[in-house]
């Protein structure tokens, strides 16, 4: 217990993963995802309740030790869509380096067979980033819209090695 107390003073993020259980023992219970995040396989996802531009959303996710979500397959796409509540959410797909050349924020390329564009998208009307609408499809929107939520993604902790 003493070690956790010392670590939590040095690393406040510890409380996100290993909060103190409200009991007489004050024990910590560690979770693979921070409090308020949802786990899917080996990833943790945060679905924001505040709205920002794409760039602000990217910065906010990174400040949490995460990134905007990178969607690699239909199963992951369905999980994220299920938690969007019918709202638009920024994800980490962008063509801001070169118009029409879509890449994930980690620099990886998009799998052409695992793209979920809505009909008529991307329409490349502006220099855009991608938003995930509620119908399980992507649409490209102007990156300076501030009325969009975000979904952040980070690796889940492997508690078997902690």
């Amino acid at each position: 217990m003493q070690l956790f107390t010392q670590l939590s003073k040095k690393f406040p993020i510890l409380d996100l993963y290993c909060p103190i259980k409200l009991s007489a023992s004050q024990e910590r219970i560690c979770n693979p995802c921070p409090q308020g995040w949802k786990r899917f396989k080996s990833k943790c996802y945060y679905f924001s309740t505040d709205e920002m531009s794409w760039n602000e959303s990217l910065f906010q996710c990174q400040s949490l030790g995460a990134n905007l979500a990178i969607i690699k397959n239909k199963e992951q796409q369905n999980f994220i869509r299920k938690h969007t509540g019918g709202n638009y959410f920024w994800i980490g797909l962008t063509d801001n380096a070169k118009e029409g050349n879509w890449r994930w924020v980690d620099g990886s390329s998009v799998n052409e067979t695992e793209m979920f564009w809505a009909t008529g998208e991307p329409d490349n009307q502006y220099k855009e980033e991608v938003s995930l609408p509620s119908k399980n499809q992507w649409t490209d929107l102007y990156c300076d819209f501030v009325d969009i939520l975000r979904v952040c993604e980070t690796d889940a902790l492997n508690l078997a090695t902690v």
Side-chain angles (χ1 to χ4, degrees), residues 25-40:
S25 69
Q26 295 288 300
E27 80 177 299
R28 288 187 180 268
I29 305 293
C30 293
N31 299 302
C33 295
Q35 287 182 314
W37 291 56
K38 298 186 183 310
R39 183 177 180 192
F40 180 70

Side-chain angles (χ1 to χ4, degrees), residues 39-58:
R39 183 177 180 192
F40 180 70
K41 298 194 174 191
S42 64
K43 300 287 184 181
C44 301
Y45 296 89
Y46 172 73
F47 297 87
S48 75
T49 57
D50 60 326
E51 301 166 335
M52 297 179 173
S53 70
W54 189 89
N55 287 318
E56 291 168 327
S57 293
L58 177 62

Side-chain angles (χ1 to χ4, degrees), residues 24-96:
S25 69
Q26 295 288 300
E27 80 177 299
R28 288 187 180 268
I29 305 293
C30 293
N31 299 302
C33 295
Q35 287 182 314
W37 291 56
K38 298 186 183 310
R39 183 177 180 192
F40 180 70
K41 298 194 174 191
S42 64
K43 300 287 184 181
C44 301
Y45 296 89
Y46 172 73
F47 297 87
S48 75
T49 57
D50 60 326
E51 301 166 335
M52 297 179 173
S53 70
W54 189 89
N55 287 318
E56 291 168 327
S57 293
L58 177 62
F59 177 79
Q60 191 64 31
C61 288
Q62 290 172 339
S63 75
L64 297 172
N67 222 332
L68 284 169
I70 297 169
I71 301 172
K72 298 289 188 173
N73 57 57
K74 188 163 185 73
E75 193 177 17
Q76 186 183 18
Q77 168 81 2
N78 288 337
F79 168 82
I80 291 172
R81 182 202 41 84
K82 182 177 126 184
H83 291 89
T84 59
N87 297 303
Y88 284 88
F89 279 77
W90 290 122
I91 59 173
L93 189 59
T94 180
D95 70 345
N96 63 3

Side-chain angles (χ1 to χ4, degrees), residues 52-55 90 127 129 141-147:
M52 297 179 173
S53 70
W54 189 89
N55 287 318
W90 290 122
K127 188 170 187 174
E129 280 62 45
L141 297 173
Y142 186 54
C143 63
D144 287 330
F145 283 164
V146 293
D147 58 346

Side-chain angles (χ1 to χ4, degrees), residues 30 32 156-162:
C30 293
L157 292 179
N158 181 352
L159 297 177
T161 62
V162 174

Side-chain angles (χ1 to χ4, degrees), residues 1 4-5 18-29:
M1 183 63 174
F4 274 118
T5 303
C18 302
I20 295 173
K21 186 177 176 183
L22 296 177
S23 67
S25 69
Q26 295 288 300
E27 80 177 299
R28 288 187 180 268
I29 305 293

